[in-house]
């Protein structure tokens, strides 16, 4: 409906811009009727976003975002114009003229919503004392959350049919609303003997149900089929309740299903939602990005969860844009969020959320790992990552991903040899040249100061160092393969199995001697440089002498 400019202005005169924007940004006073804040439309560290109650607008000097209370609701909070006007009018205490609707359609929709709500009340009445109540209580869900999520139970077929008859509902209407379904043997009620989860749209209207079987049978979970009120790819479970917390924290956690959401919420994580089934879509992605820049994906730690994680990544990659990404929580194998909370506690779950990895790192972890030990397998991984990067539509983000994947690929395989058949016997002999001894000194130093390999500069320098002695080169590769989880006992065992005993004795003696010396970080770094320079100078002296001899001849 079109509203007059006079009406719009009257509403704007009664609602401060700062009151509406304070929902999403922290206001800093900046003069009479003015505030500054970090811009909600782009990432910044220094406030460049100005809110002017006197001018009834906002403006960002960083990204150029500009508007009033209506545009803020439509552009940042995803309202349509009519809903924005209705909310602001309510705040302002201004009556809006009644909108002309198709009266027949409005009455029909109201009756359909009424039928769905009648079923919800029926399910809730049947919950108390049911196997569904026992199941939920055994899962540790407290009564407050049973009520908050309005859990119910759809009883046996004959009780459902009795309820339908009492209410006078037509099966044709129930088919239309997704409560019944056509089967080979006729129409059947979809949720019989299932725990029920009511599904609300983003306006808190009940539109559908999810159901979990409580005995043997498949599928374990089902949802209402899509119909006029219910589009799976446009809704997220619990969004209508979590929205306020998401806006305040600017964080959202996406879990796999209903029970994950309920368990996380009970543990204190109020900003949790879930897709309906496996139907995660671009619409969901844009909705999550609308409220925060870095949604957290926290799926089950099983194979199905990992596949779903990669599907979400496939959806997100082409749509990546500056400042918008995803992060992934890696749960223990075979565990869902509820398992983690019950076995390890809320603090451990929080630590997993805090140690999440961003999208690019997750893709490297999945496609590029140290188990790839042939040139062909590594080439395939490298090509896979490049193909992923080339799917990104934004050229700036694409360039950054190509660079990141190149660097990450190098780091994963730095110093990692291709597959070498284990040596039979101690057939790597000792070389007693001065340069070889200097190289052993460097390796012994690294082993006794293994933490130096956590510093990228020194790890890269050591990994790229080309040792003259074959034995020292093999030891170098094994040290890099063990780091950062280097265990001396494992290393010593490998030495005994692969290296000549006189070489092992020489190296272990060096290690024992160096382990008695305590070095500061500065001294450690200087000592590393000293060993490297000693080897390089030794090579230069050798080459000089060889050149002099060849000149004499």
């Amino acid at each position: 409906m079109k509203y007059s400019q006079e009406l719009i202005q009257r509403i704007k005169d009664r609602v401060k811009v700062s009151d509406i924007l304070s929902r999403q940004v922290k206001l800093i006073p900046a003069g009479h009727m003015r505030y500054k804040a970090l811009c909600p439309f782009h990432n910044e560290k220094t406030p460049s976003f100005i809110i002017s109650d006197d001018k009834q607008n906002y403006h960002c000097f960083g990204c150029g975002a500009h508007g009033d209370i209506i545009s803020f609701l439509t552009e940042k909070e995803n309202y349509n114009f009519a809903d924005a006007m209705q909310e602001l009018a309510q705040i302002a205490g201004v009556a809006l003229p009644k909108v002309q609707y198709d009266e027949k359609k409005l009455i029909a929709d109201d009756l359909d919503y009424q039928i769905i709500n009648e079923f919800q009340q029926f399910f809730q009445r049947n919950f108390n004392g049911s196997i569904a109540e026992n199941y939920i209580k055994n899962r540790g869900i407290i009564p407050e959350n049973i009520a908050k999520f309005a859990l119910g139970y759809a009883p046996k077929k004959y009780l459902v049919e009795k309820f339908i008859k009492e209410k006078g509902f037509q099966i044709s209407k129930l088919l239309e609303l997704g409560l019944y379904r056509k089967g080979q043997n006729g129409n059947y009620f979809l949720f019989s003997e299932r725990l029920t989860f009511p599904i609300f749209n983003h306006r808190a209207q009940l539109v559908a149900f999810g159901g979990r079987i409580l005995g043997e049978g498949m599928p374990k979970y089902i949802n209402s089929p899509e119909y006029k009120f219910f589009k799976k790819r446009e809704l997220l479970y619990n969004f209508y309740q979590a929205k306020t917390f998401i806006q305040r924290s600017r964080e959202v956690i996406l879990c796999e299903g209903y029970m994950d959401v309920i368990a996380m919420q009970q543990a204190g994580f109020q900003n949790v939602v879930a897709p309906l089934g496996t139907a995660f879509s671009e619409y969901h992605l844009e909705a999550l990005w609308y409220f925060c820049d870095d949604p957290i994906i926290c799926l089950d730690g099983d194979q199905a969860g990992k596949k779903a994680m990669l599907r979400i990544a496939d959806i997100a990659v082409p749509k990546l844009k500056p400042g918008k990404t995803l992060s992934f929580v890696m749960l223990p194998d075979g565990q869902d969020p509820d398992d983690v909370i019950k076995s390890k506690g809320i603090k451990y779950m929080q630590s997993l959320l805090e140690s999440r990895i961003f999208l690019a790192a997750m893709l490297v972890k999945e496609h590029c790992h140290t188990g790839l030990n042939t040139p062909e397998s590594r080439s395939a991984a490298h090509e896979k990552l490049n193909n992923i990067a080339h799917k990104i539509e934004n050229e700036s983000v694409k360039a950054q991903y190509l660079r990141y994947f190149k660097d990450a690929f190098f780091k994963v395989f730095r110093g990692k040899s291709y597959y070498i058949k284990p040596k039979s016997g101690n057939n790597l002999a000792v070389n007693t040249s001065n340069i070889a001894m200097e190289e052993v000194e460097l390796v012994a130093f690294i082993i006794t100061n293994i933490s130096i390999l956590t510093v990228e500069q020194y790890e890269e320098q050591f990994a790229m160092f080309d040792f003259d002695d074959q034995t020292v080169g093999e030891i170098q590769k094994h040290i890099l393969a063990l780091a950062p989880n280097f265990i001396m006992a494992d290393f010593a065992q490998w030495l005994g199995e692969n290296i000549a005993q006189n070489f092992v004795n020489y190296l272990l003696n060096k290690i024992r001697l160096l382990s008695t010396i305590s070095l500061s970080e500065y001294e450690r770094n200087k000592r590393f440089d000293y060993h490297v320079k000693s080897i390089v100078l030794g090579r230069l002296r050798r080459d000089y002498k060889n050149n002099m001899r060849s000149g004499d001849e």
Side-chain angles (χ1 to χ4, degrees):
M1 180 176 181
K2 188 174 181 180
Y3 298 104
S4 69
Q5 286 301 314
E6 290 80 7
L7 178 63
I8 293 172
Q9 189 57 51
R10 193 172 359 135
I11 290 172
K12 289 167 69 173
D13 288 342
R14 295 189 182 190
V15 182
K16 292 181 180 179
V17 182
S18 59
D19 289 341
I20 299 300
L21 271 66
S22 63
R23 300 174 180 182
Q24 291 205 28
V25 298
K26 183 178 180 180
L27 303 181
I28 304 168
H32 179 62
M33 299 185 73
R34 291 194 178 190
Y35 302 87
K36 62 182 179 179
L38 294 174
C39 179
F41 294 95
H42 81 288
N43 290 326
E44 61 177 10
K45 295 182 179 179
T46 304
S48 62
F49 189 71
I50 303 299
I51 300 102
S52 305
D53 284 335
D54 54 344
K55 295 181 180 179
Q56 299 181 336
N57 67 21
Y58 57 83
H59 181 80
C60 179
F61 291 92
C63 69
H66 182 90
D68 58 17
I69 49 176
I70 298 172
S71 62
F72 187 83
L73 291 183
T74 57
E75 293 174 15
K76 190 62 183 168
E77 296 198 1
N78 212 23
Y79 284 69
N80 59 40
F81 178 75
D83 288 343
M85 284 295 293
Q86 189 165 357
E87 174 157 334
L88 293 170
Q90 187 175 358
I91 296 171
V94 173
L96 293 177
K98 291 187 178 180
V99 180
Q100 297 299 314
Y101 292 105
D102 180 335
E103 191 171 346
K104 289 183 180 179
K105 182 178 183 302
L106 186 62
I107 292 170
D109 284 354
D110 281 347
L111 288 173
D112 290 346
Y113 280 123
Q114 185 179 336
I115 291 171
I116 298 168
N117 278 281
E118 290 274 9
F119 270 90
Q120 168 61 10
Q121 293 169 28
F122 173 66
F123 295 155
Q124 286 186 284
R125 287 196 300 272
N126 281 276
F127 181 81
N128 293 335
S130 70
I131 57 174
E133 183 181 37
N134 290 335
Y135 170 80
I136 284 296
K137 287 185 175 179
N138 288 336
R139 291 288 298 261
I141 305 304
I142 60 176
E144 289 83 353
N145 282 326
I146 293 173
K148 179 174 182 176
F149 289 93
L151 303 180
Y153 176 63
K156 292 184 177 180
K157 178 182 175 181
Y158 78 93
L159 290 172
V160 175
E161 291 175 345
K162 180 183 176 183
F163 166 73
I164 291 169
K165 187 175 181 180
E166 289 173 352
K167 291 294 181 179
F169 297 145
Q170 299 297 314
I171 298 299
S172 59
K173 173 57 70 174
L174 301 182
L175 282 164
E176 182 186 321
L177 298 178
L179 292 162
Y180 261 72
R181 183 172 281 179
K182 291 182 179 180
Q184 292 180 346
N185 300 318
N187 301 325
Y188 65 95
F189 182 65
L190 194 58
F191 298 102
S192 288
E193 299 182 68
R194 287 178 179 265
L195 167 66
T196 59
F197 304 85
I199 299 169
F200 297 85
N201 65 17
H202 297 172
R203 297 180 184 177
Q205 294 171 304
L206 177 60
V207 294
F209 296 97
R212 188 197 193 283
I213 200 165
L214 296 169
E216 297 296 323
M218 291 296 287
K220 185 162 70 171
Y221 284 95
I222 56 172
N223 292 318
S224 297
E226 293 193 344
Y227 70 106
K228 63 179 179 179
F229 295 153
F230 180 48
K231 302 289 184 263
K232 293 180 184 179
R233 294 177 182 273
E234 295 180 7
L235 295 179
L236 289 164
Y237 181 66
N238 194 47
F239 182 81
Y240 85 101
Q241 293 193 102
K243 181 179 176 181
T244 301
F245 298 99
I246 293 168
Q247 288 174 325
R248 288 177 186 170
S249 65
R250 297 189 195 175
E251 283 190 349
V252 59
I253 303 167
L254 183 84
C255 287
E256 200 160 316
Y258 308 118
M259 291 304 299
D260 296 323
V261 169
I262 295 171
M264 289 285 281
Q265 193 276 338
Q266 184 162 297
F269 303 98
Q270 305 287 345
N271 53 340
V272 185
V273 298
L276 298 164
T278 57
F280 187 85
S281 67
E282 285 184 23
Y283 184 96
H284 290 141
L285 179 68
E286 293 296 340
L288 296 178
W289 274 344
Y290 182 82
F291 288 97
C292 70
D293 295 333
D294 183 19
I296 302 167
I297 312 302
C298 182
L299 306 183
D300 295 356
D302 55 14
Q303 283 302 116
K306 290 176 182 176
K307 287 180 180 178
M309 179 176 69
L310 291 173
R311 280 197 301 271
I312 291 172
D314 285 342
I315 292 169
V317 163
K319 302 300 178 185
L320 292 171
K321 60 193 83 170
K324 298 293 183 182
T325 188
L326 297 174
S327 291
F328 294 83
V329 176
M330 313 306 285
L331 294 184
D333 286 347
Q335 294 196 332
D336 60 27
D338 190 30
D339 296 328
V340 173
I341 291 166
K342 285 177 179 173
S343 62
K344 298 288 183 68
I346 296 171
K347 287 185 178 179
Y348 182 77
M349 187 70 216
Q350 181 65 48
S351 72
L352 290 178
L353 292 169
E354 290 172 356
S355 61
R356 61 189 183 268
I357 62 174
F358 56 92
L359 174 59
M362 185 278 289
L363 291 169
V364 170
K365 182 179 176 67
E366 287 299 314
H367 297 295
C368 181
H369 50 82
T370 54
L372 304 174
N373 52 23
T374 67
E376 294 82 4
S377 61
R378 293 184 188 180
S379 176
H382 189 263
E383 187 172 322
K384 176 70 174 176
L385 291 175
N386 278 344
N387 289 341
I388 290 171
H390 281 292
K391 291 179 182 178
I392 300 171
E393 295 168 4
N394 184 282
E395 292 299 325
S396 173
V397 177
K398 180 192 296 183
Q400 292 299 324
Y401 262 67
L402 286 168
R403 186 176 304 157
Y404 176 85
F405 285 156
K406 180 180 178 181
D407 292 345
F409 189 87
F410 175 75
K411 287 180 181 178
V412 169
F413 296 114
R414 178 191 300 152
K416 306 295 189 296
S417 60
Y418 291 116
Y419 178 73
I420 299 173
K421 191 173 182 179
K423 306 293 186 295
S424 56
N426 300 333
N427 58 357
L428 288 178
V430 64
N431 181 344
T432 56
S433 71
N434 290 334
I435 293 173
M437 295 299 101
E438 289 283 2
E439 291 180 348
V440 173
E441 291 272 1
L442 174 57
V443 166
F445 168 79
I446 290 293
I447 293 168
T448 53
N449 294 274
I450 197 69
S451 62
I452 198 170
L453 296 184
T454 63
V455 181
E456 185 173 357
Q457 170 191 346
Y458 296 108
E459 182 200 13
E460 184 169 342
Q461 196 172 349
F462 180 64
M464 299 302 293
F465 197 86
D466 188 15
F467 288 95
D468 283 352
D469 187 86
Q470 179 193 0
T471 304
V472 179
E474 289 299 320
I475 293 171
Q476 171 204 31
K477 292 172 185 175
H478 195 67
I479 291 170
L480 289 165
L482 292 177
N485 302 311
F486 184 89
I487 299 173
M488 187 61 200
D490 294 342
F491 177 69
Q493 181 179 347
W494 179 86
L495 285 176
E497 293 172 353
N498 293 276
I499 309 298
Q501 191 59 49
N502 56 344
F503 198 112
V504 172
N505 293 338
Y506 182 83
L507 176 59
L508 292 179
N509 284 332
K510 285 290 181 183
I511 292 170
R512 277 191 286 270
L513 178 63
L514 291 174
S515 64
T516 63
I517 303 172
S518 178
L519 299 174
S520 66
E521 183 178 339
Y522 174 80
E523 291 170 330
R524 181 199 67 184
N525 297 345
K526 283 292 185 183
R527 185 66 63 90
F528 177 85
D529 292 338
Y530 166 78
H531 284 299
V532 171
K533 288 176 182 176
S534 294
I535 296 170
V536 172
L537 287 173
R539 291 174 180 174
L540 289 172
R541 292 191 196 99
R542 177 195 62 193
D543 294 343
Y544 176 76
K545 289 178 181 178
N546 290 339
N547 289 335
M548 290 296 290
R549 290 194 189 100
S550 62
D552 289 342
E553 294 171 358

